[in-house]
Amino acid sequence: MTDATTSSGAGAAGGERRLAILLAMAMFVLVVDTSLMNVSIASVVRDLDTTVSGVQSAIALEALVSAAFILIGSKVGDLIGRKRAYVLGLLGYAIGALAMALSQSLTAVIVFWAVIGGLGASLLLPAMQSLIHGNFEGAAQKQAYALVGAAAAIAAAVGPLLGGFITTYLSWRIAFLLEDVIIVIVLSGIRLVHDVPYTGERHVDVVGAVLSVLAMGGIVLGILVWQEGGEAVGALIVIGAVAMAALAYWLVRRKREGKPVLLDPDLFRAPLFRFGISSQTLQQIALGGMMIALPIYLQMVLEYNAMEAGLSLAPLSLSMFAMALLAGKKAGQRRPSSIIRLGFTLLTVGTVLLIAVVPRADSGWYLVVPLLIAGSGLGLLVSQLNNYTLSPISEERVSEAAGVNSAGGSFGLSFGLAFSGAILLATLSFSFTNMAESSAVLPPAAQQTVADALDEDAEVMSNTQLEEQLAGQPEAIQDEIIRINTDARPLALQVALLIPALAGLLGLLLSFRMMRLPDPAPSASTEGMAFG
């Protein structure tokens, strides 16, 4: 009987280990997915015969859909079951990855990868949090959280290198097919997952859900429409801003009336939570801005292939990973707010150095030191912000607070991606037009043609692509337009990098206010929340 009990216990432990590994594999796919797109921009543009701005928009839209629906996704998981939400989230991601592998147009990428994949992420993240909490206990739970968090950190660190290698030596389509293979393996072990029953309020705050989607969606979607030269940009942004204010009013009113709310507005009464969410959002704006501007610079200006771009971005991701690991272990008695302040300082300094280096760099080696500095700053922030944000939240509300934290981070990422991309194209159009109009080489007809083309569709192009488009034009005109392109692109990229620099500076200013607050107590309930 003792042997049978021991065997049963060993089997249960083995099942827990397998489940933890499968959950970590799911998180790895979730995080590595965007890295694959970032380092493959040039290849995707070429193979789908589309534009850089179109691919940028798809990347930003995927992050936006995830952010806009993550709070709703958490409630959906409560209503239909966390295990079912987990499976649906994985299937949504699998559909998106398969569409990338098979797509022949940008439309398929936007519909299946950005929208359906983003919806999958909005279901997957909160469901995974609940399933880890409900399927593991004690030390096993901490180990599962640590393993899934480590998978997210490793994916962020090696994603650019892995994506660059597969894209260069195989194909970006193969990379997304490999994502599907991993998801199939994860789903093959679904029997190991025990559903976690939900015993809370089952009423849905429909108005709050709609307002949350309009609030986050309207602002970022307005920026994406502006980037693509569409109309009603101001109306979309105004809708987003009004919806954000209306959501705050609605939640407070519903809470006062004792009715179910999408999220508890009392969470924001805690100063640590408010400052933590704000810092998390600013950190992600900075990261999103860099992760759209730098791959474009490397692939469209320096004309690097995906592997070379991944290697050039490695100092950012690897220093972020290493510093987060080091700070998490060695922080000791240092105040979390002082580490956050140092993180924003390094992030700002690194980004400012990038702005100074961009016009002079003719290889990725010039970016190494600024990226190491900025990555170290991001790593310090990653090591502190989750515990700082969630520390004042009680055990029974930490899952809801973690969902808000994830939504803030995802919104910041999508905003950084969209706004930096839009500013880049707007600056490119403006500077290119001014340079063309002041050119002594281009005749008035050619100047007008350039202005009309940019007004309709400003686009980041490599000099090689531009030479192909200018074939048949007089050599003097070709040379002049190539010169203008060479001068205009670095300026546009510098302006785009101002977005992460400003986000870092705002975070630094905010950190001085955080220094005046008492230090947060380490919270066991936040163990492993970093992957959210």
Side-chain angles (χ1 to χ4, degrees):
M1 190 166 185
T2 303
D3 290 344
T5 302
T6 303
S7 176
S8 174
E16 284 186 343
R17 281 194 298 271
R18 289 196 299 275
L19 176 56
I21 291 170
L22 292 173
L23 290 167
M25 291 171 66
M27 179 54 65
F28 183 89
V29 168
L30 196 68
V31 175
V32 85
D33 187 71
T34 301
S35 293
L36 293 178
M37 281 293 280
N38 283 329
V39 298
S40 304
I41 286 177
S43 298
V44 174
V45 167
R46 182 182 63 249
D47 292 350
L48 298 185
D49 191 25
T50 185
T51 62
V52 172
S53 63
V55 177
Q56 282 177 228
S57 296
I59 295 171
L61 185 61
E62 195 268 350
L64 170 62
V65 171
S66 174
F69 287 92
I70 198 166
L71 296 175
I72 301 172
S74 178
K75 189 62 179 179
V76 169
D78 293 341
L79 297 177
I80 69 173
R82 276 66 176 268
K83 182 175 180 178
R84 187 173 296 168
Y86 174 69
V87 171
L88 289 174
L90 285 171
L91 290 175
Y93 237 72
I95 290 170
L98 185 61
M100 287 300 301
L102 302 177
S103 62
Q104 301 300 314
S105 70
L106 183 63
T107 302
V109 173
I110 289 173
V111 172
F112 294 103
W113 181 78
V115 176
I116 295 180
L119 289 172
S122 71
L123 285 170
L124 189 58
L125 277 171
M128 190 179 295
Q129 176 69 44
S130 297
L131 289 175
I132 293 175
H133 195 75
N135 280 259
F136 303 88
E137 293 182 353
Q141 187 182 90
K142 290 186 177 181
Q143 289 169 3
Y145 274 130
L147 185 61
V148 174
I154 292 169
V158 306
L161 291 170
L162 185 63
F165 179 85
I166 296 174
T167 298
T168 301
Y169 297 109
L170 296 170
S171 167
W172 56 273
R173 296 182 187 275
I174 297 294
F176 286 100
L177 273 180
L178 290 175
E179 286 189 12
D180 273 329
V181 171
I182 295 174
I183 291 172
V184 169
I185 294 171
V186 172
L187 287 172
S188 70
I190 196 65
R191 68 186 185 281
L192 297 171
V193 179
H194 301 292
D195 206 355
V196 179
Y198 175 68
T199 57
E201 177 63 59
R202 301 191 69 84
H203 290 91
V204 179
D205 180 7
V206 177
V207 174
V210 171
L211 288 174
S212 72
V213 173
L214 289 176
M216 288 186 277
I219 294 170
V220 177
L221 197 59
I223 295 170
L224 292 176
V225 170
W226 172 44
Q227 174 180 298
E228 293 299 311
E231 298 178 354
V233 172
L236 284 170
I237 294 176
V238 168
I239 287 171
V242 170
M244 189 74 76
L247 176 63
Y249 170 77
W250 174 261
L251 293 175
V252 171
R253 175 186 163 190
R254 293 273 290 185
K255 176 74 175 179
R256 191 182 300 125
E257 294 173 352
K259 296 178 180 178
V261 289
L262 179 69
L263 62 96
D264 188 348
D266 288 347
L267 289 172
F268 294 91
R269 292 184 181 276
L272 295 180
F273 185 79
R274 286 201 310 273
F275 286 145
I277 287 283
S278 301
S279 298
Q280 186 89 271
T281 302
L282 290 168
Q283 173 210 347
Q284 291 296 319
I285 289 173
L287 181 60
M290 284 192 286
M291 292 310 293
I292 201 64
L294 292 175
I296 290 174
Y297 172 74
L298 293 165
Q299 294 175 76
M300 308 309 292
V301 177
L302 300 184
E303 301 196 35
Y304 278 6
N305 62 29
M307 185 66 205
E308 291 167 330
L311 284 169
S312 298
L313 291 172
L316 178 72
S317 56
L318 293 177
S319 61
M320 181 169 62
F321 173 65
M323 186 58 72
L325 208 61
L326 185 64
K329 292 180 178 179
K330 303 292 185 181
Q333 299 303 311
R334 293 179 179 85
R335 296 189 64 191
S337 54
S338 68
I339 298 175
I340 291 169
R341 182 174 61 179
L342 178 59
F344 275 119
T345 300
L346 292 175
L347 172 60
T348 305
V349 169
T351 311
V352 170
L353 287 175
L354 281 173
I355 294 171
V357 163
V358 159
R360 300 165 179 82
D362 56 9
S363 81
W365 286 107
Y366 287 85
L367 308 182
V368 170
V369 172
L371 289 180
L372 285 173
I373 295 172
S376 297
L378 287 168
L380 290 173
L381 295 173
V382 167
S383 74
Q384 302 298 316
L385 280 177
N386 280 282
N387 183 69
Y388 187 95
T389 304
L390 301 178
S391 60
I393 308 302
S394 61
E395 173 72 27
E396 62 270 16
R397 300 169 70 193
V398 73
S399 182
E400 179 185 15
V404 178
N405 193 34
S406 295
S410 296
F411 173 74
L413 184 67
S414 64
F415 183 87
L417 288 165
F419 198 39
S420 291
I423 287 291
L424 187 153
L425 291 175
T427 306
L428 180 67
S429 175
F430 179 79
S431 58
F432 208 115
T433 301
N434 279 357
M435 291 179 188
E437 289 176 348
S438 62
S439 172
V441 176
L442 296 179
Q447 293 177 10
Q448 188 59 46
T449 300
V450 168
D452 291 343
L454 288 172
D455 184 58
E456 184 175 329
D457 184 22
E459 186 56 54
V460 182
M461 297 182 69
S462 68
N463 283 342
T464 301
Q465 290 173 314
L466 198 54
E467 286 171 357
E468 292 173 0
Q469 288 208 359
L470 292 172
Q473 293 290 329
E475 186 174 348
I477 290 180
Q478 288 188 42
D479 291 344
E480 180 67 1
I481 292 180
I482 294 294
R483 181 195 66 78
I484 292 172
N485 191 50
T486 302
D487 293 342
R489 291 175 308 175
L491 176 61
L493 287 159
Q494 284 180 299
V495 175
L497 286 169
L498 285 175
I499 304 305
L502 289 171
L505 183 59
L506 287 173
L508 178 59
L509 295 174
L510 188 64
S511 69
F512 283 96
R513 296 188 64 187
M514 296 162 76
M515 291 288 291
R516 301 195 199 110
L517 299 175
D519 292 334
S523 172
S525 63
T526 66
E527 186 78 40
M529 291 278 185
F531 67 80

